[in-house]
Amino acid sequence: NNKGAVVYHHKKYLTNENVNDASISINPDNIAVLHWGCHNEVHNRFNGTAVKVERKVYIITGAACSGKTTFARERMLEGDILLDIDDIWQTLSGLPRYIKPNALKPIVFNMRLALKDQIAKGAGTWRNAYIIEGLPLATDRKREAERYKAHNCEIITMEAAREECLNRLYTMP
């Protein structure tokens, strides 16, 4: 029973970048004593006892090398989700980013589908999810948006000229 528990809350949140900065991590002026439940509300934790989190899913579409992943990474905050099938391929194969062994294809696609299902269900305490998809057909984009309608889904299409995409491809390591 944590009803009487108190938590030392950092007013300026700790991050990987500032955790070793004593003026933030152990500064008494940056620490507040909060009741356990109040602390959970501040951090939007534990759905039943916390303030409802306003979530948003961004489906970022476009041609290969159009800047989809870069766009998402520039906007993400700590705790957001980035679902990019290229990351899944790279993680599972251990190979460079665009080398995709055919033997792994069923596993990669099933993992992506399982992760998409978890996002659609709202599992976890994330705020924004960025899903990278090609989706050249309007019907596919509409179907995907419908899957995430509970999370205020927005489709963003990256417009890039063919030459720009090819230039990015040839200049990648």
Side-chain angles (χ1 to χ4, degrees):
N1 182 344
N2 293 321
K3 290 183 179 180
V6 295
V7 176
Y8 297 100
H9 168 74
H10 289 86
K11 296 173 191 175
K12 181 172 183 177
Y13 293 173
L14 293 178
T15 66
N16 289 336
E17 291 75 31
N18 70 19
V19 71
N20 294 318
D21 181 347
S23 69
I24 295 172
S25 61
I26 61 173
N27 180 352
D29 293 331
N30 188 43
I31 298 174
V33 179
L34 297 178
H35 177 270
W36 174 260
C38 297
H39 189 247
N40 289 336
E41 287 183 25
V42 167
H43 289 286
N44 294 312
R45 292 184 181 142
F46 310 118
N47 295 335
T49 61
V51 175
K52 184 174 170 136
V53 176
E54 184 64 36
R55 293 184 167 167
K56 185 147 182 136
V57 172
Y58 298 93
I59 299 174
I60 305 170
T61 70
C65 299
S66 63
K68 299 181 296 291
T69 303
T70 301
F71 178 87
R73 287 189 175 150
E74 288 173 352
R75 284 153 183 79
M76 288 181 64
L77 300 173
E78 187 174 319
D80 286 350
I81 295 173
L82 173 63
L83 178 54
D84 186 341
I85 196 165
D86 292 333
D87 291 338
I88 298 171
W89 277 105
Q90 189 173 15
T91 299
L92 287 179
S93 71
L95 297 170
R97 188 161 179 87
Y98 297 109
I99 297 176
K100 300 174 179 178
N102 202 39
L104 299 181
K105 189 174 186 176
I107 297 169
V108 169
F109 280 65
N110 285 332
M111 283 188 69
R112 179 180 65 167
L113 182 59
L115 291 168
K116 288 167 75 172
D117 287 344
Q118 290 298 303
I119 293 168
K121 290 176 185 174
T125 57
W126 53 274
R127 175 123 9 206
N128 295 308
Y130 297 86
I131 301 173
I132 310 299
E133 295 273 12
L135 301 176
L137 300 177
T139 54
D140 293 338
R141 292 190 296 273
K142 183 177 179 183
R143 181 194 69 242
E144 285 299 297
E146 185 66 23
R147 176 194 295 246
Y148 306 105
K149 69 181 177 184
H151 304 302
N152 194 18
C153 182
E154 181 178 339
I155 297 175
I156 299 169
T157 301
M158 302 303 296
E159 300 288 342
R162 182 177 190 268
E163 296 76 27
E164 183 180 357
C165 294
L166 288 171
N167 186 47
R168 287 179 182 155
L169 175 66
Y170 294 132
T171 58
M172 285 183 188

